[in-house]
Amino acid sequence: MKERTKLTELTAITPIDGRYRDRVVDLASHVSEYSLIATRIEVEAKYLIALSDIKIVRPLKRNERSKLNSFGSNLTLQSARKVKRIEEETRHDVKAMELVFRSLVKGTSLEDITEMIHFGLTSEDVNNLAYRLMLKRATKHICVPAIDHLVTELVDRAEKYKSTPMLARTHGQAAMPTTVGKEIIVFAARLNKELRDLKERELTGKLTGAVGNLNALQFAYPKIDWLSFSQNFVRSFGFRPSLATTQINPYEDMIAHFQNYQRINGIIIDFAQDMWRYVSDDWFVQEVRTGERGSSTMPQKVNPIDFENGEGNLTMANGIFETLSRKLSTSRLQRDLSDSTTIRNIGTVLGYSFVGYTSILNGLSRVRPNEEQIAQDLNKDWAILAEGAQTIMRTLGVDDPYSLMASLTRGRHIDEAQWRTLVDQLPIPEENRKTLRNLTPETYLGNAVEITERAIEEIKS
């Protein structure tokens, strides 16, 4: 029974740290509890340097500054575990981190400034910066490259198949021709826009004390311009300073990030569902890999499991993003602790997202258009050319051509020969009749190719 409680990939409660651990291991270095502790220490250490710069802490030597700057990145797992042990007694995670930080300074040339660790701060002064650093770094180094990779893969396929005719469906019914590449580039363009927004999105930071007024610091050193200090310190992390706060830094900036991710995930879910349907219709075929099984009982099956897995995990992610966005926008009076336990799910929600991204990428790498089947289904029903015929007749002044074409085509499946017979019945000049007789599903593509090329050019730029 003891083996079942020891934390491993097999005993983990969540699939992120269990089934998918090998896929999120790089993400863990940014958003784990270990990373949170290390990032808090990084903030605390840089705060000491900032206090030295305004002469509240003695001048620091170059090697002392370097040592302080390395405390966070060099934090050992042993020290992080010590924080957790102390937390069992203090029941306060930031205080436990502070006590361990003090122990790291002990016995060094920095020991004389120990009492300035966490000087005049509230936990949220450290936490708000730490969590935003984690979100910023995980986004930049893990999630953005994966989404960027997906956009690149979509662009490559759109370029390759930009001229491959395909039946478009609206309401699930045969509508008119499009191209494989054009339908793919739609998703690339949507993702690219949201990805640019995510890259450029700004985060905020605060250092304003227990209820947002810098009371302790202002009381201890009234001649210091603490508002400027606060702003400069926050800017040193690449964040926009928040001065009007309660104990917490308002979460609207993080909520904006989460909603950006929600839109990205929604686009990818949309893509996954379309690909699932294309595979189901045999318009895309999947690579068969030796040793894989599509069913425990049906030997013939090759399932689109990567698109299904991606859809499922991104749906989970968006559910958590929705919860975070709803919860974090409110805080009772100057603060309550419900945001603290909620915001810890940054790793979970980015984990589900990243698993989704990698699943979709894997699925995309294993499929290709079944051009023969796509062409066969495209040419199965020439009624999809009815729009072109009624539009031409409008230009010729034919009375109510829409109703005329509806009476000839609606609810019917028309082959090539029937189409030509139908065209011969239309009340139009011979020149226009010839044009419609020569029209085919492969040629009635509008500007699909040009639209694809322009979208590719814009994305690449």
Side-chain angles (χ1 to χ4, degrees):
M1 191 65 183
K2 190 173 181 181
E3 283 194 347
R4 295 191 181 185
T5 60
K6 185 178 180 182
L7 183 59
T8 69
E9 286 86 344
L10 291 174
T11 61
I13 293 175
T14 72
I16 296 301
D17 284 321
R19 183 176 183 84
Y20 303 124
R21 179 65 187 183
D22 61 326
R23 292 165 68 172
V24 298
V25 65
D26 290 336
L27 181 65
S29 66
H30 294 285
V31 292
S32 64
E33 182 77 2
Y34 183 9
S35 176
L36 174 59
I37 294 169
T39 309
R40 282 168 170 163
I41 288 178
E42 175 187 346
V43 172
E44 293 274 10
K46 289 180 176 178
Y47 179 63
L48 288 174
I49 295 173
L51 290 179
S52 174
D53 289 340
I54 60 170
K55 299 181 172 52
I56 287 179
V57 167
R58 66 165 173 80
L60 297 171
K61 299 174 183 176
R62 181 179 296 178
N63 67 312
E64 290 176 326
R65 286 173 174 263
S66 178
K67 188 174 186 63
L68 284 169
N69 277 319
S70 70
F71 269 128
S73 59
N74 291 339
L75 185 73
T76 65
L77 187 58
Q78 181 182 3
S79 293
R81 284 176 173 152
K82 186 177 178 182
V83 172
K84 299 307 293 181
R85 286 196 301 272
I86 295 173
E87 187 185 343
E88 291 177 9
E89 178 182 343
T90 62
R91 296 201 66 197
H92 197 292
D93 51 356
V94 174
K95 194 63 181 177
M97 173 277 302
E98 179 194 339
L99 294 174
V100 169
F101 188 23
R102 285 169 173 258
S103 71
L104 295 175
V105 168
K106 189 176 181 180
T108 73
S109 65
L110 295 165
E111 187 170 3
D112 63 309
I113 64 170
T114 299
E115 287 307 318
M116 300 307 290
I117 294 173
H118 203 70
F119 176 75
L121 300 183
T122 186
S123 299
E124 187 58 20
D125 287 328
V126 178
N127 279 336
N128 88 98
L129 297 172
Y131 277 116
R132 283 166 173 81
L133 283 170
M134 291 164 66
L135 175 60
K136 179 181 179 179
R137 291 164 179 172
T139 295
K140 178 180 179 180
H141 298 296
I142 305 296
C143 293
V144 161
I147 303 165
D148 237 339
H149 186 190
L150 178 55
V151 171
T152 299
E153 292 296 321
L154 292 173
V155 167
D156 288 348
R157 283 158 180 77
E159 198 156 28
K160 184 174 183 179
Y161 300 111
K162 64 184 178 183
S163 302
T164 304
M166 180 182 86
L167 177 65
R169 291 193 180 102
T170 59
H171 306 280
Q173 308 300 305
M176 62 183 63
T178 183
T179 72
V180 174
K182 185 264 173 176
E183 298 312 306
I184 290 175
I185 204 60
V186 168
F187 292 103
R190 291 169 66 191
L191 277 176
N192 188 59
K193 188 267 180 191
E194 291 298 333
L195 183 59
R196 286 203 308 267
D197 287 350
L198 183 63
K199 288 178 180 178
E200 296 167 5
R201 197 163 292 284
E202 190 176 41
L203 286 166
T204 66
K206 84 104 183 177
L207 189 144
T208 55
V211 295
N213 301 328
L214 293 147
N215 301 55
L217 292 174
Q218 183 64 31
F219 182 70
Y221 290 94
K223 294 183 179 180
I224 298 290
D225 183 353
W226 287 109
L227 295 180
S228 294
F229 174 86
S230 172
Q231 291 176 309
N232 292 334
F233 185 67
V234 168
R235 288 193 187 103
S236 72
F237 294 98
F239 301 148
R240 178 169 54 82
S242 292
L243 284 181
T245 75
T246 59
Q247 185 177 107
I248 69 170
N249 182 16
Y251 283 101
E252 279 71 31
D253 61 321
M254 296 187 81
I255 291 171
H257 264 73
F258 298 155
Q259 291 172 340
N260 210 149
Y261 269 113
Q262 276 185 286
R263 293 193 297 274
I264 287 169
N265 292 354
I267 293 166
I268 300 174
I269 289 170
D270 193 16
F271 173 71
Q273 291 178 342
D274 278 10
M275 289 303 300
W276 188 94
R277 176 64 189 265
Y278 292 147
V279 170
S280 175
D281 289 342
D282 203 29
W283 288 8
F284 275 72
V285 292
Q286 299 178 95
E287 174 189 348
V288 177
R289 294 184 179 175
T290 304
E292 288 188 358
R293 298 292 183 268
S295 168
S296 61
T297 185
M298 296 171 281
Q300 82 282 5
K301 294 189 72 184
V302 183
N303 296 331
I305 56 174
D306 291 305
F307 293 113
E308 294 168 332
N309 181 281
E311 179 184 348
N313 279 287
L314 291 171
T315 300
M316 282 294 300
N318 275 7
I320 301 172
F321 277 132
E322 169 63 26
T323 299
L324 289 171
S325 298
R326 191 164 5 98
K327 173 67 200 81
L328 295 174
S329 62
T330 60
S331 178
R332 296 173 185 89
L333 303 180
Q334 282 63 56
R335 89 148 310 167
D336 71 86
L337 209 59
S338 58
D339 68 307
S340 178
T341 190
T342 307
I343 197 64
R344 288 179 180 275
N345 287 281
I346 282 181
T348 304
V349 72
L350 292 182
Y352 278 119
S353 296
F354 186 69
V355 170
Y357 305 151
T358 55
S359 292
I360 298 299
L361 279 164
N362 194 45
L364 190 58
S365 72
R366 299 181 58 170
V367 296
R368 59 174 175 79
N370 183 354
E371 296 185 55
E372 183 179 343
Q373 185 64 49
I374 290 174
Q376 182 178 320
D377 287 346
L378 176 65
N379 284 280
K380 188 180 293 183
D381 188 359
W382 284 48
I384 61 176
L385 302 177
E387 180 205 46
Q390 69 100 0
T391 305
I392 285 292
M393 286 191 283
R394 283 174 185 265
T395 69
L396 298 171
V398 175
D399 184 47
D400 196 8
Y402 177 91
S403 296
L404 172 61
M405 291 307 296
S407 68
L408 295 171
T409 62
R410 194 163 190 261
R412 296 177 57 193
H413 297 289
I414 298 173
D415 61 21
E416 181 179 358
Q418 291 171 318
W419 170 256
R420 299 191 191 286
T421 300
L422 181 154
V423 169
D424 288 341
Q425 300 171 12
L426 299 179
I428 55 177
E430 185 58 34
E431 180 184 353
N432 301 107
R433 194 185 318 280
K434 183 179 179 181
T435 299
L436 287 176
R437 284 176 62 84
N438 291 332
L439 185 65
T440 71
E442 283 92 352
T443 59
Y444 186 56
L445 297 176
N447 296 118
V449 175
E450 184 181 355
I451 288 169
T452 305
E453 290 173 342
R454 288 193 181 192
I456 289 171
E457 183 180 348
E458 181 180 344
I459 292 169
K460 288 185 174 181
S461 69

